[in-house]
Amino acid sequence: MPDADLQLYPLRALILILALGWLTACAAPFDPDERLTVDVPTRASVPGVPLIQQEAFYCGPTSVAMVMQWSGHDVTQADIAALAFSPGAGGTYLADMIGSARRKGQLAVEINSFDGLLGEVNAGHPVIVFQNLGLGIAPVWHYGVVTGYDLQKDEVYLNSGQLDQMVMPFALFERTWRRGDFWGLVVLPPDDLPATAPETAILNAAAALERVEQYHAAETLYETGSARWPENWLWQFGLGNARYGQGDLRGARRALLRARAIAPDIPEIRANLNHVQDLM
Amino acid sequence: MGLFNLTKTGIAVVLSAQLVLATTAVTMAQAEMLGTDAAISKYTQHQDRAFLMEELQRDDVQSEMVRLGVDPAEAEARLAALTDAEVASIMVQMEKDNAGADIVGTLFTIFVILLVTDILCLTRIFNFTRCVR
C-alpha cells in the first residue's frame, strides 16, 4: 500500500515538530513567583491518603475513592465507578466526578489555579487533578490526587492509581495539568471547608447536595458555612430548606427565623417561613 | 348578534381560564418551599454587581481610570448595562487573574480590557463587548 506510506511522512514530520515543542517546553522551569499570587510555604503534604491500584480505566473513580477513604469513608473505586464511570467513553467525565462525590454526601468544589492547588494542600486537603499525560495529538487523560509538593526540591507528589507514589517536577506537572485546563477538585466531608474556594462556590456546592437529596450532608455544610460567614442569610436559608427536606419542621423554622433576623426584607425567607409554620 | 355573543363567550372563557391559572400559580407557590439554588443565583449576583459598583467608586480606582483616559461615568454605565451572567463572568475573570490581592490592579485590568482594548477590537476577551471597527 504505497498510499499508506506516503501518508506516514507528514505524520512523522508532525510528531517531530511536536516532540521539539515538547523539548522546548521542558526547558522552561516552573517559576512559583509567576504562577502564584499568594504566599505558600516551601513544602506541604497531606498525610494519610491511601494508595489504591486502579482497575483499567478507573483513574477517576479511584481518585475519588482515595480522597474519601482519606477522610474516613468506607468506599471502593467500584462504588464510585457505579455513580461516575461511562463505559461507552472508557472514562469518567469531569461532571460525573463532581456528581459522584456529591451523591456520596461530600462537599465538592472545583479549583483551577496553582493558588488553589497549593493553598488546599497547605490546608491539609488532597486535590484531585485532571491531567493529559500524553502528547497533544495522542492525549492520555488521567486523574490523580495531589498529596504534597516541595518547591525547593521541585517536586509534586501524586497518588496516581499505582501503588507507588508518583513524583513529578513542577514544570512537567504544570504542562500535564495545563492541558487539563487546570481542572482540580476538592472533595471534603461537609464539616471541613475548602481553604481557597469563594463563598458562593461553597454555597452552590451545598445547594447541589440538596438537589441530590443528601439533606443531612447539606445541613452540616450549611451549619459549617454559617459559622464562617455568619452575616450571610443564605446559609440559614439553605439550612432551613435542608432541614425541611428531612422533615425537621422545628429545625427548619429556627434556621429561617435566624435568616429573617439577618435579612428582614427578603421575600423568599418570609415565604418559606410561612410555609413551614402552616405545616406545624 | 350571534357574532357578538360568540365574542362575549370567548372573553368569558379566557377570563375564567386566566383566573384559574392565577389561582393555581399562587397555590403552587405556597405548596412548596422556594429553593436554595434560585435564592443563591438571585442574591449573590446582586452582591457581585453591588460589589463592582462600590469598587468603581473608590478614589484610587477613579483616579487611575482618569489617568488612563477612561471616563468613570462611562465605566459605571457599562457595568449597569451588563446582564447578571456577564457580571458573573467578570467576577470569575477577576478571581482567576488575581486572588483578591490587589483589587485596583484587577478591576483596572478588567475595565481597561472591557472598555478600551475590546471595544477597539484589539482583543476579544469578553464576548459581549461591541467592537466598533
Side-chain angles (χ1 to χ4, degrees):
Chain A
M1 290 283 286
D3 279 358
D5 259 5
L6 277 174
Q7 279 169 2
L8 269 179
Y9 287 107
L11 187 63
R12 270 189 206 153
L14 190 65
I15 289 171
L16 190 65
I17 290 164
L18 282 170
L20 282 172
W22 173 277
L23 287 174
T24 337
C26 276
F30 180 82
D31 179 1
D33 292 336
E34 198 178 294
R35 301 298 315 189
L36 293 167
T37 63
V38 291
D39 279 334
V40 294
T42 311
R43 62 187 65 83
S45 72
V46 184
V49 185
L51 285 154
I52 304 179
Q53 176 65 50
Q54 71 170 76
E55 287 163 32
F57 305 116
Y58 272 16
C59 57
T62 304
S63 297
V64 176
M66 283 191 286
V67 173
M68 285 190 65
Q69 286 186 14
W70 160 81
S71 60
H73 296 86
D74 185 19
V75 289
T76 63
Q77 55 180 302
D79 294 338
I80 303 296
L83 304 176
F85 187 68
S86 301
T92 308
Y93 290 110
L94 300 179
D96 292 327
M97 294 287 285
I98 303 172
S100 62
R102 288 179 177 159
R103 286 163 72 191
K104 286 283 179 188
Q106 300 299 289
L107 156 57
V109 169
E110 289 170 276
I111 54 122
N112 46 32
S113 67
F114 273 96
D115 281 352
L117 176 67
L118 302 193
E120 291 302 334
V121 170
N122 258 305
H125 302 149
V127 180
I128 297 171
V129 290
F130 181 57
Q131 300 165 282
N132 181 352
L133 299 177
L135 279 168
I137 49 157
V140 179
W141 298 108
H142 184 70
Y143 294 101
V145 179
V146 174
T147 62
Y149 69 88
D150 190 324
L151 289 168
Q152 201 176 356
K153 285 189 186 164
D154 187 28
E155 287 174 343
V156 179
Y157 307 103
L158 298 114
N159 289 12
S160 199
Q162 309 294 319
L163 291 179
D164 295 324
Q165 186 181 56
M166 183 183 270
V167 181
M168 271 189 169
F170 261 94
L172 179 60
F173 173 77
E174 204 250 352
R175 208 162 51 249
T176 61
W177 195 32
R178 176 204 306 252
R179 287 181 293 161
D181 268 340
F182 299 111
W183 188 88
L185 186 67
V186 184
V187 174
L188 294 171
D191 61 352
D192 188 0
L193 299 180
T196 63
E199 181 185 4
T200 310
I202 302 174
L203 259 175
N204 279 311
L209 284 172
E210 275 189 69
R211 268 202 308 275
V212 295
E213 298 182 355
Q214 286 284 343
Y215 294 117
H216 187 67
E219 177 181 6
T220 307
L221 181 47
Y222 286 126
E223 279 169 345
T224 315
S226 72
R228 175 145 148 204
W229 292 286
E231 71 291 347
N232 188 348
W233 61 269
L234 281 162
W235 294 101
Q236 296 292 348
F237 183 77
L239 183 59
N241 283 355
R243 285 177 175 167
Y244 175 86
Q246 297 171 87
D248 174 11
L249 293 178
R250 288 177 181 285
R253 183 166 174 270
R254 279 199 306 277
L256 288 166
L257 285 172
R258 279 197 296 271
R260 196 180 64 180
I262 299 170
D265 302 325
I266 304 291
E268 282 84 353
I269 301 175
R270 288 166 178 277
N272 283 8
L273 196 52
N274 286 339
H275 179 64
V276 167
Q277 281 168 343
D278 283 349
L279 292 173
M280 284 174 79
Chain B
M1 191 64 186
L3 187 66
F4 181 65
N5 268 341
L6 201 66
T7 319
K8 266 211 308 201
T9 320
I11 289 171
V13 166
V14 168
L15 280 181
S16 46
Q18 211 172 24
L19 190 66
V20 169
L21 277 177
T23 322
T24 326
V26 171
T27 328
M28 268 169 54
Q30 287 175 339
E32 50 190 62
M33 295 281 272
L34 302 175
T36 320
D37 270 327
I40 291 172
S41 65
K42 178 172 167 190
Y43 290 98
T44 55
Q45 281 176 9
H46 273 289
Q47 282 173 9
D48 285 349
R49 191 186 297 275
F51 168 78
L52 284 176
M53 207 50 110
E54 226 167 78
E55 291 299 322
L56 275 187
Q57 308 300 325
R58 281 171 40 164
D59 286 347
D60 44 357
V61 174
Q62 297 237 333
S63 61
E64 191 64 14
M65 278 196 284
V66 170
R67 194 177 71 78
L68 275 135
V70 175
D71 177 7
E74 176 65 12
E76 270 176 47
R78 299 251 166 186
L79 179 58
L82 300 180
T83 67
D84 284 351
E86 289 160 357
V87 169
S89 81
I90 289 183
M91 295 300 288
V92 168
Q93 187 75 37
M94 283 177 60
E95 271 161 26
K96 260 193 193 164
D97 280 6
N98 208 326
D102 170 20
I103 191 70
V104 183
T106 331
L107 252 187
F108 200 62
T109 316
I110 297 297
F111 276 100
V112 166
I113 288 168
L114 184 63
L115 290 166
V116 184
T117 59
D118 256 24
I119 289 165
L120 294 178
C121 321
L122 298 174
T123 53
R124 210 74 186 100
I125 305 296
F126 294 106
N127 54 15
F128 48 84
T129 48
R130 291 155 293 272
C131 177
V132 293
R133 192 185 290 163

